[in-house]
Amino acid sequence: MTLEIQNQRIVTPFSLSIHSETGIPDNHDTLIERYLSKLADIYLDSEAAEAMVREKGDILTYQVFEKDIPEVNGELRFCSSIVYPGKVGDEYFMTKGHFHSRRDTAEIYYCIRGEGFMLMETEEGAYALEAFTPGRTVYVPGYYAHRSINTGTEPLVMLPIYPGDAGHDYGTIEHTGFKHLVVESDGKPTVIENPKYTN
Ligand code: PAN
Ligand code: ZN
């Protein structure tokens, strides 16, 4: 719902609840569902991803429940982002990851449930990894591509909040990949260089 104030169309006040176990909000406008069959290419072993889909059927790896908040300066968009547990080979289930189209826009992720990491990389080669545990909050500065990774055994539920006009640039990461990957090694999450990374 919107309302006009001083010639500006703004969102009217509202609230919602995000279920602390499932991460599903009691109110949303749009649901994005990402299935492994469409995401095989983001994994190092994309053939293993395709084989999993052939053998087990398609797998829902993450969901994003969004409110339709105008994509304009001044508004804040937010969602419930849920990455399900699982692995392709040794690589944990994760989001596609993106830069913001407006590179200078930052984002905050509040972790509600689960365990994992936020992988952050700039086009200039800066890199950071921050852990997600319930209650932990990650600040993603502008200019950093960001991807959330579930290294646990339960859903990783996060509340991302970002400027309305940030926009999403998926194309750059689709082309280059991230420089780093988080994989399981000796039973522990471990960062390795991505052999498929192209600059
Ligand atoms: C988040 C992400 C969400 C899903 O709302 O969009 O976690 O990740 P991908 O967009 O990479 O598929 C966000 O970072 N918004 O800017
Ligand atoms: Zn973002």
Side-chain angles (χ1 to χ4, degrees), residues 41-167:
D41 284 350
I42 71 173
Y43 293 94
L44 178 58
D45 192 348
S46 24
E47 282 169 20
E50 284 159 10
M52 272 171 79
V53 173
R54 272 198 308 276
E55 285 157 26
K56 301 186 195 167
D58 216 348
I59 300 170
L60 179 63
T61 59
Y62 69 99
Q63 290 176 307
V64 185
F65 292 83
E66 294 184 325
K67 289 294 291 174
D68 282 348
I69 294 171
E71 296 184 71
V72 297
N73 178 32
E75 295 290 359
L76 290 173
R77 285 179 59 88
F78 71 101
C79 56
S80 177
S81 177
I82 309 168
V83 182
Y84 291 101
K87 279 182 293 173
V88 171
D90 293 329
E91 195 175 10
Y92 300 100
F93 283 0
M94 59 192 177
T95 59
K96 285 162 58 145
H98 57 268
F99 286 98
H100 289 165
S101 309
R102 259 200 66 180
R103 289 289 196 270
D104 61 352
T105 52
E107 179 159 358
I108 284 177
Y109 273 68
Y110 175 71
C111 178
I112 295 172
R113 179 186 177 194
E115 269 177 42
F117 290 94
M118 177 64 92
L119 171 64
M120 293 169 274
E121 294 180 359
T122 68
E123 284 161 295
E124 293 74 25
Y127 148 78
L129 194 69
E130 292 290 336
F132 281 126
T133 52
R136 204 159 176 86
T137 307
V138 175
Y139 187 85
V140 181
Y143 301 96
Y144 277 81
H146 40 288
R147 159 176 282 169
S148 33
I149 303 164
N150 185 343
T151 58
T153 53
E154 51 184 54
L156 174 63
V157 180
M158 297 153 293
L159 170 68
I161 306 168
Y162 55 99
D165 60 346

